[in-house]
Amino acid sequence: MSSTPTSDASTKIGSDSSASTEEEKTLSRRAFERTQRAATSQDILLFLVAFRILNALSIRTFFQPDEYFQSLEPAWEIAFGKDSGAWITWEWKHQLRSAIHPTIFAAVYWFASRISQVLRVSPTWHADLIIAAPKATQAVFAALGDYYTWKLGEKIYGHGSNEAWAALVLTVCSPWQWFCSTRTLSNCLETTLTIVALSNWPWHWTLDKEDEEHEDGYGLRQDQDTEGQDYELAKLLVLSVSSIVDRLYYQQWTFPPFRFLYFNVAQSLSVFYGSNPWHYYLTQGLPLLLTTFLPFGIVGLYETFSSTSSWATSNRLPLLSTKILHQLATTSLIVPATLSLISHKEVRFIYPLLPVLHILASRPFTAFFLPTILPSPPSTSFTYTPRRLALLFLALSTLALSIFTTTLHQAGPLSVLTYLRNEYTTHYLTQPPTTSALQPAPSVMTPSRLPRHQSLGSGLRTPVNMNATARAAYVDEADAFYHDPVGWIKAELGSPPKQRRSFLGFGKSREVLGGGADALVSTPGEAEPWDGGLGRKSWTEYVVFFAQLEPAMRRVLKGSGYRECWRGWNSFGHDDWRRVGDVVVWCARGGKKGEERGQEKLRRGWW
């Protein structure tokens, strides 16, 4: 690999205070140089890995169902078999996804399970290890993304430059990175692979012959023929591995990228998951990615394209670095513009651009804040006070936003999983109970983590292979459910199992949470309390829904054997009215607490 060019334009650490005295500049430079020597690449990578593992294990909120359905659910099936309870969505059944991503986590699941068996840990510890293992794996991927963001910054701005360090600071402190980078979304791994590829890309290929000879002083000229052969072999290797893995998973030869385009673009199935205005990525996508660093990203894009900007006129980067920045900035605009042509838009679709945007934002970020943290003469010490206050506000707002999005906003879907998992491992070691979720699809629970789970009214069914007329008349399951929840439940489930008092607990009962005096019985004409009958779905021992649905559920479950047994905080508000309020769990006979109250009544003679 060629040596990294050192830019005369990049501000070397500790040398950017024109107003400082010579002694102060010398002291600052020596202090920062000592820090630079200590912070080797290995040290930085180890720090980033530890930081992202802490990041991954501290997340308590829900973002997208695809972090389960596009990775962990198929991974669970690969690791533990088709009868393991994994929920395989229509995308996998129609071969729209490559199996490489879930295969990585399948290996992680298998390894974690083997460790649990060898160490003979308790069911609770086993569950915790199985949940933490994919998080830790993704944390390593996220740390590599941070690391190569810094490495590409050094390649562009020069080794040890303030702009390269600023790029590292931006990616580490980014609220979006803290919120999203350690989730098991395929977009997160794509982001890491993108920045790794950009950091190792042979950028000198973009130079003309004359320009290459001019830049050869930096050691950039290499044998392009040899490099070209290496890259062709790498592409062939990746394509071969991808094809073989997909062949093993689908049991037939297939090309998922083509099928993905056919179903989502040609058949426009992605529209069923929402459509957005043409300006979504401009007005929402990029602001969500950059969050508190948005102003610096905008200025960075402007300065890259403007040859008359103050930074460009006062500093001079090598020609190669300038070309790299122009290509990165151009890509940052072309990709959102192209994706805007598709009706269905999500911010995570442009997530791979975030490391590039951080590199572009690092120049104005450094120019604005660096003078505020270096010593200044007393005569100018108050000159940068507004900037210091701005830096303090930026740090506090970034910290507050990171904490809010990872601990408070949409915490219910994950906290209810913790509650139910604890119920399972504590009270149901041999035969797990049944659970159903009456929630929209973006909040649905995953069966691989909850055995014997069913999702009702979630809208997970997709109108595949329908003609235009049929698709126009298609009504989503979630829309039908929320149009008339009570009617939908009666039609799909029938009447809930009723509660019958029986003397000293003798009577028809069900082995759920220990049974008890309050037995569950069916309505007349139905043979089984849990069976809705007449081809309907079955009632389950746990029912989960948002508080917005509570009035309707109280009407349906009035006089039944269900009682509220858990309620968890979800968010202060939500843009989807169906997910407003707490997450509520109703259990048959009130769950463990209900059982304890029933036993207490029996001891006191209350029946």
Side-chain angles (χ1 to χ4, degrees):
M1 188 70 186
S2 58
S3 59
T4 303
T6 303
S7 168
D8 295 333
S10 62
T11 52
K12 298 299 289 184
I13 294 180
S15 62
D16 190 40
S17 184
S18 57
S20 301
T21 63
E22 190 63 28
E23 181 180 359
E24 289 172 332
K25 288 197 287 186
T26 302
L27 292 175
S28 299
R29 181 163 51 252
R30 288 177 179 176
F32 278 105
E33 285 174 352
R34 285 195 299 268
T35 303
Q36 178 186 357
R37 286 193 298 268
T40 61
S41 296
Q42 183 179 0
D43 295 332
I44 291 174
L45 181 58
L46 292 176
F47 163 76
L48 291 173
V49 170
F51 177 77
R52 288 304 176 194
I53 290 178
L54 174 64
N55 181 181
L57 298 180
S58 65
I59 291 180
R60 296 291 183 269
T61 56
F62 184 79
F63 175 39
Q64 281 282 345
D66 286 345
E67 61 183 295
Y68 304 101
F69 293 139
Q70 291 183 3
S71 57
L72 299 187
E73 290 299 308
W76 189 276
E77 181 192 49
I78 295 172
F80 304 117
K82 292 185 178 297
D83 298 327
S84 59
W87 191 315
I88 305 303
T89 59
W90 71 275
E91 296 172 299
W92 297 99
K93 296 176 182 178
H94 291 273
Q95 305 168 8
L96 270 68
R97 299 284 176 183
S98 173
I100 291 182
H101 188 223
T103 299
I104 296 173
F105 293 106
V108 173
Y109 273 142
W110 182 87
F111 186 69
S113 180
R114 292 294 298 171
I115 290 179
S116 297
Q117 294 175 9
V118 171
L119 299 180
R120 297 181 179 180
V121 299
S122 66
T124 301
W125 278 94
H126 172 76
D128 291 339
L129 179 60
I130 289 293
I131 291 173
K135 294 182 178 182
T137 303
Q138 180 57 42
V140 174
F141 295 149
L144 288 173
D146 296 332
Y147 177 78
Y148 279 98
T149 300
W150 171 62
K151 296 299 288 184
L152 181 58
E154 286 205 321
K155 178 174 289 188
I156 295 172
Y157 298 116
H159 180 75
S161 64
N162 285 334
E163 290 80 9
W165 287 106
L168 180 62
V169 170
L170 290 176
T171 188
V172 167
C173 298
S174 167
W176 181 266
Q177 291 283 54
W178 180 264
F179 172 70
C180 187
S181 67
T182 58
R183 299 182 186 271
T184 52
L185 289 162
S186 59
N187 309 92
C188 298
L189 182 58
E190 289 169 4
T191 301
T192 295
L193 293 177
T194 299
I195 190 60
V196 171
L198 291 175
S199 180
N200 291 280
W201 186 257
W203 291 104
H204 56 277
W205 287 6
T206 62
L207 294 174
D208 298 330
K209 184 176 181 180
E210 296 78 8
D211 295 334
E212 188 175 331
E213 292 175 354
H214 173 73
E215 295 291 313
D216 193 43
Y218 295 104
L220 298 174
R221 191 173 184 178
Q222 298 183 13
D223 188 351
Q224 294 188 10
D225 294 334
T226 303
E227 286 184 345
Q229 293 176 4
D230 293 340
Y231 282 102
E232 291 299 326
L233 289 175
K235 289 190 292 184
L236 180 61
L237 177 62
V238 171
L239 182 61
S240 300
V241 171
S242 176
S243 300
I244 293 173
V245 171
D246 291 335
R247 172 66 175 83
L248 294 174
Y249 180 77
Y250 290 114
Q251 297 298 304
Q252 63 180 3
W253 293 107
T254 184
F255 191 58
F258 172 77
R259 298 186 63 82
F260 180 87
L261 292 175
Y262 171 72
F263 278 89
N264 285 292
V265 179
Q267 292 197 19
S268 300
L269 293 181
S270 61
V271 177
F272 286 94
Y273 295 94
S275 60
N276 307 87
W278 64 268
H279 54 77
Y280 171 83
Y281 290 120
L282 179 64
T283 58
Q284 299 182 51
L286 292 174
L288 283 173
L289 281 183
L290 287 167
T291 54
T292 51
F293 305 134
L294 177 62
F296 304 103
I298 295 174
V299 174
L301 285 169
Y302 169 78
E303 289 184 342
T304 301
F305 290 117
S306 175
S307 59
T308 59
S309 65
S310 59
W311 192 92
T313 55
S314 60
N315 299 274
R316 184 178 178 274
L317 283 174
L319 179 61
L320 178 61
S321 298
T322 302
K323 287 200 169 188
I324 295 175
L325 286 173
H326 273 83
Q327 292 186 51
L328 295 179
T330 302
T331 302
S332 299
L333 298 180
I334 291 178
V335 170
T338 303
L339 293 178
S340 296
L341 301 176
I342 302 175
S343 298
H344 180 63
K345 305 174 182 67
E346 294 185 39
V347 61
R348 60 193 177 102
F349 294 167
I350 60 171
Y351 181 23
L353 294 175
L354 184 57
V356 171
L357 293 171
H358 283 155
I359 291 173
L360 295 173
S362 63
R363 288 191 301 178
F365 182 85
T366 302
F368 190 79
F369 285 122
L370 185 62
T372 68
I373 61 176
L374 293 177
S376 300
S379 58
T380 61
S381 60
F382 296 102
T383 304
Y384 297 109
T385 297
R387 296 193 186 187
R388 293 190 180 102
L389 294 176
L391 180 61
L392 178 62
F393 173 78
L394 182 65
L396 293 177
S397 59
T398 298
L399 179 63
L401 185 58
S402 300
I403 294 175
F404 174 77
T405 56
T406 55
T407 61
L408 293 176
H409 184 60
Q410 295 198 91
L414 294 189
S415 58
V416 71
L417 285 176
T418 302
Y419 163 74
L420 292 171
R421 190 174 66 253
N422 290 337
E423 288 285 295
Y424 289 4
T425 57
T426 304
H427 308 299
Y428 301 91
L429 297 182
T430 58
Q431 179 67 12
T434 53
T435 306
S436 60
L438 290 161
Q439 299 173 322
S443 305
V444 72
M445 296 179 292
T446 55
S448 63
R449 249 64 71 211
L450 295 176
R452 303 175 70 196
H453 166 80
Q454 64 178 347
S455 178
L456 306 175
S458 64
L460 285 174
R461 301 168 185 170
T462 302
V464 180
N465 295 326
M466 288 186 181
N467 56 38
T469 303
R471 285 202 301 269
Y474 174 77
V475 178
D476 184 79
E477 184 184 32
D479 294 336
F481 170 73
Y482 280 95
H483 176 71
D484 182 12
V486 176
W488 191 95
I489 291 174
K490 289 183 178 179
E492 295 289 331
L493 295 173
S495 300
K498 302 296 181 181
Q499 180 176 352
R500 181 180 68 187
R501 302 284 184 177
S502 56
F503 184 70
L504 291 179
F506 293 100
K508 188 174 182 179
S509 64
R510 173 81 170 181
E511 285 300 324
V512 47
L513 294 175
D518 300 335
L520 294 180
V521 299
S522 63
T523 55
E526 295 180 354
E528 228 291 329
W530 306 92
D531 185 4
L534 303 176
R536 300 186 181 109
K537 299 180 177 68
S538 298
W539 284 93
T540 58
E541 292 152 286
Y542 290 86
V543 180
V544 184
F545 51 89
F546 284 106
Q548 180 276 335
L549 199 61
E550 199 165 12
M553 294 304 298
R554 288 188 180 276
R555 288 175 55 193
V556 172
L557 300 177
K558 183 178 181 180
S560 71
Y562 288 94
R563 298 290 183 273
E564 180 182 328
C565 57
W566 185 86
R567 179 182 292 264
W569 164 265
N570 186 48
S571 64
F572 291 103
H574 207 286
D575 57 352
D576 188 343
W577 62 270
R578 301 172 300 178
R579 289 188 283 273
V580 172
D582 299 336
V583 174
V584 184
V585 180
W586 279 45
C587 311
R589 289 189 299 283
K592 185 65 178 176
K593 293 182 179 178
E595 176 196 355
E596 294 173 349
R597 288 194 294 267
Q599 292 176 349
E600 181 65 20
K601 289 181 180 180
L602 284 175
R603 286 195 295 268
R604 297 183 182 183
W606 297 351
W607 54 76

